[in-house]
């Protein structure tokens, strides 16, 4: 696990679909460090959006899905 202090710039929840486990929404969190962090957890996306430009600490895990 890694941690990064950032400011949340934008939360975009425009990707949705249905998979084996049912419907899903991918939330993309754009941060002041220039990275975009993805999560399927709605509560995390809500907390990020509610930060209103205040500094936050993102704790994240990098995983590779597929051959890229």
């Amino acid at each position: 696990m890694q941690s990064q202090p950032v400011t949340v710039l934008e939360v975009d929840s425009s990707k949705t679909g249905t998979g084996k486990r049912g419907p899903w929404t991918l939330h993309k969190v754009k941060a002041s460090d220039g990275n975009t962090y993805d999560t399927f957890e709605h509560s995390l996306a809500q907390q990020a959006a509610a930060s209103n430009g205040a500094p936050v600490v993102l704790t994240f895990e990098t995983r590779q899905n597929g051959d890229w």
Side-chain angles (χ1 to χ4, degrees):
M1 295 285 231
Q2 300 175 13
S3 292
Q4 178 73 31
V6 296
T7 300
V8 174
L9 302 176
E10 179 183 352
V11 178
D12 178 18
S13 304
S14 61
K15 289 195 174 192
T16 59
T18 303
K20 294 178 185 177
R21 297 181 186 171
W24 54 265
T25 301
L26 178 64
H27 305 278
K28 294 183 171 282
V29 178
K30 293 181 184 176
S32 61
D33 64 355
N35 292 319
T36 301
Y37 300 91
D38 299 338
T39 184
F40 289 102
E41 294 186 38
H42 181 71
S43 63
L44 289 177
Q46 282 185 315
Q47 290 175 32
S51 69
N52 294 324
V56 297
V57 176
L58 297 179
T59 301
F60 59 95
E61 178 181 346
T62 304
R63 284 189 265 163
Q64 179 176 339
N65 295 326
D67 295 328
W68 48 269

